[in-house]
Amino acid sequence: SAVISQKPSRDICQRGTSLTIQCQVDSQVTMMFWYRQQPGQSLTLIATANQGSEATYESGFVIDKFPISRPNLTFSTLTVSNMSPEDSSIYLCSVRVGAGELFFGEGSRLTVL
Amino acid sequence: QQQVKQSPQSLIVQKGGISIINCAYENTAFDYFPWYQQFPGKGPALLIAIRPDVSEKKEGRFTISFNKSAKQFSLHIMDSQPGDSATYFCAASMIGSGGSNYKLTFGKGTLLTVNP
């Protein structure tokens, strides 16, 4: 398994501002993922973040809105840019360990006013 | 089509009863089927997972049944307890031999309530 720490755990932000979410893993992992979970909904993959290369974004998500950094094998950040109330969600960092098991952090709960 | 359909949306079970949640998938290339449990305010936690080379996997009170021909899999929770009350998500992925294309597609979730 893996221990995944996310910061902040929750935040309330104003429309038009940006927020950077940090994800720290207790071991080196090749593949890290960022998911979004809107209130009462399922999980949607935003992007895959691999160290040493640009993130790969899923359909409907763009780098200008959700820039991602992956400076090393234990850390990643996701920025939610120019936020609107529609961005209010839980943002989850996850990592792949071993034979494909995916583990999640506790999430960062974002409310945009 | 990368879609996983989960049912029911919500489920109420009495303590000691059996909870059954079903999922169906379209993409025959999927080869990894995990279930996640999520408590309010927490991230999803991996509960149990199965590969298509077996029809059933059991871990404690939790069992996955897998029907490859029907493209369906289900989670059975035996002797359900109030502490099992949570949202359960099924998921599917293509791990393949190298795992370089690993992405999970999630079902919409089932809110399970176990009454005491």
Side-chain angles (χ1 to χ4, degrees):
Chain A
S1 66
V3 177
I4 304 168
S5 302
Q6 281 188 238
K7 292 181 181 179
S9 59
R10 60 179 65 243
D11 207 341
I12 300 174
C13 301
Q14 296 299 317
R15 181 196 297 262
T17 63
S18 299
L19 178 73
T20 296
I21 301 167
Q22 299 179 3
C23 177
Q24 179 74 52
V25 189
D26 68 340
S27 58
Q28 293 185 340
V29 293
T30 302
M31 302 182 78
M32 296 181 75
F33 306 87
W34 287 97
Y35 282 82
R36 182 174 75 181
Q37 186 176 27
Q38 295 178 306
Q41 301 297 315
S42 187
L43 292 86
T44 301
L45 180 63
I46 297 172
T48 301
N50 293 327
Q51 194 265 339
S53 63
E54 287 197 3
T56 303
Y57 289 83
E58 298 299 303
S59 176
F61 298 96
V62 295
I63 188 171
D64 289 346
K65 176 67 175 178
F66 298 100
I68 289 171
S69 76
R70 181 79 198 275
N72 57 54
L73 291 174
T74 65
F75 187 79
S76 178
T77 67
L78 169 76
T79 299
V80 186
S81 303
N82 188 25
M83 289 183 287
S84 66
E86 292 70 33
D87 294 320
S88 297
S89 288
I90 302 171
Y91 292 86
L92 293 151
C93 171
S94 65
V95 301
R96 182 193 169 198
V97 175
E101 296 170 330
L102 197 67
F103 294 91
F104 286 86
E106 295 293 340
S108 297
R109 287 153 185 80
L110 175 61
T111 301
V112 184
L113 303 178
Chain B
Q1 184 178 359
Q2 302 272 343
Q3 187 175 8
V4 178
K5 295 181 179 180
Q6 183 172 347
S7 64
Q9 186 174 2
S10 62
L11 179 62
I12 299 175
V13 175
Q14 292 300 118
K15 178 181 177 182
I18 302 173
S19 303
I20 302 175
I21 305 171
N22 301 298
C23 283
Y25 62 96
E26 296 289 333
N27 190 341
T28 55
F30 284 146
D31 60 1
Y32 175 68
F33 304 90
W35 285 89
Y36 285 83
Q37 179 188 57
Q38 186 177 31
F39 293 105
K42 299 292 186 181
L46 179 63
L47 191 60
I48 187 173
I50 197 168
R51 299 293 297 270
D53 52 343
V54 296
S55 61
E56 186 176 281
K57 182 174 181 180
K58 183 176 181 180
E59 290 185 1
R61 296 185 294 109
F62 301 92
T63 299
I64 299 179
S65 296
F66 184 79
N67 186 329
K68 188 174 182 178
S69 61
K71 293 187 288 185
Q72 295 176 348
F73 58 109
S74 60
L75 176 69
H76 296 236
I77 306 174
M78 311 300 289
D79 187 25
S80 298
Q81 299 295 313
D84 297 330
S85 297
T87 300
Y88 292 81
F89 293 95
C90 64
S93 175
M94 293 178 282
I95 291 183
S97 59
S100 62
N101 188 30
Y102 184 89
K103 281 187 278 189
L104 276 177
T105 299
F106 283 86
K108 291 187 178 297
T110 297
L111 177 61
L112 172 65
T113 302
V114 182
N115 289 328

